[in-house]
Amino acid sequence: MEIRPLTDRDSVALLTLVQGLAGHHGDQSAATSDTLTRDLSDGWTWGFGAGDPLIGYVLMMRHARVHDGLRGVDLHHVFVTPSARRQGIARALLTRAEDDARSKGCSYVVIGAHEGNSVARDAYVGLGYEWRAPIFWRFFKRL
C-alpha cells in the first residue's frame, strides 16, 4: 500500500475520513474541506495518506518540550476506515510519520487516545509507545 504525503488537493477526500474519526468517538466534526485546505497548504498540519482513494491518514503538528530543549511531533490524528483495518495500514502510516519526524530533527513523538480506548492504547504500546498517565491538567479557552 502506497503511503504518500497529503496535499491540499486531498482535502475533500480527507474530510470524509476526519468525519469518520469524529464519528468513531461519538463527536461531531466542524471541519470543512476549506479548513483542511487551509491547514495543509500553510503547514499548520501535515501528514500522510494511504490508498487511492484514501482509506487512512495521519496528521501531524509541531510539538516541543522547551524546558528540555527538545523538538517533537504530535501525531494529532490517525485513522483507517473500518473495512481496511487490521491490514497494517495504521502501522505503515505511523512508521512514515516517525521517519518524517526524525528527518525534521525531532527526538520524540506524542500521540493521544480517548480515555478508555484500550484498543488504541494496546496498539500504541505494541508499537513501542510508552503509556503515560496524565501528569498535568489542560485548560481550554475559546478565542
Side-chain angles (χ1 to χ4, degrees), residues 43-54:
W44 193 269
T45 62
W46 72 97
F48 301 93
D52 185 17
L54 285 177

Side-chain angles (χ1 to χ4, degrees), residues 126-137:
L127 292 170
Y129 288 80
E130 178 183 334
W131 182 32
R132 295 183 175 182
I135 57 173
F136 59 89
W137 294 348

Side-chain angles (χ1 to χ4, degrees), residues 2-18:
E2 180 190 7
I3 305 295
R4 62 171 180 77
L6 292 169
T7 71
D8 58 354
R9 293 182 307 280
D10 293 307
S11 296
V12 172
L14 183 59
L15 178 61
T16 301
L17 297 182
V18 168

Side-chain angles (χ1 to χ4, degrees), residues 75-96:
L75 301 179
H76 185 61
H77 273 193
V78 179
F79 182 74
V80 175
T81 59
S83 62
R85 292 183 183 155
R86 306 202 56 78
Q87 298 177 32
I89 297 168
R91 178 186 300 263
L93 287 163
L94 289 170
T95 298
R96 182 72 182 269

Side-chain angles (χ1 to χ4, degrees), residues 8 10-13 15 19 30-39:
D8 58 354
D10 293 307
S11 296
V12 172
L15 178 61
Q19 292 168 336
T32 66
S33 59
D34 289 339
T35 61
L36 293 171
T37 296
R38 175 198 66 200
D39 293 346

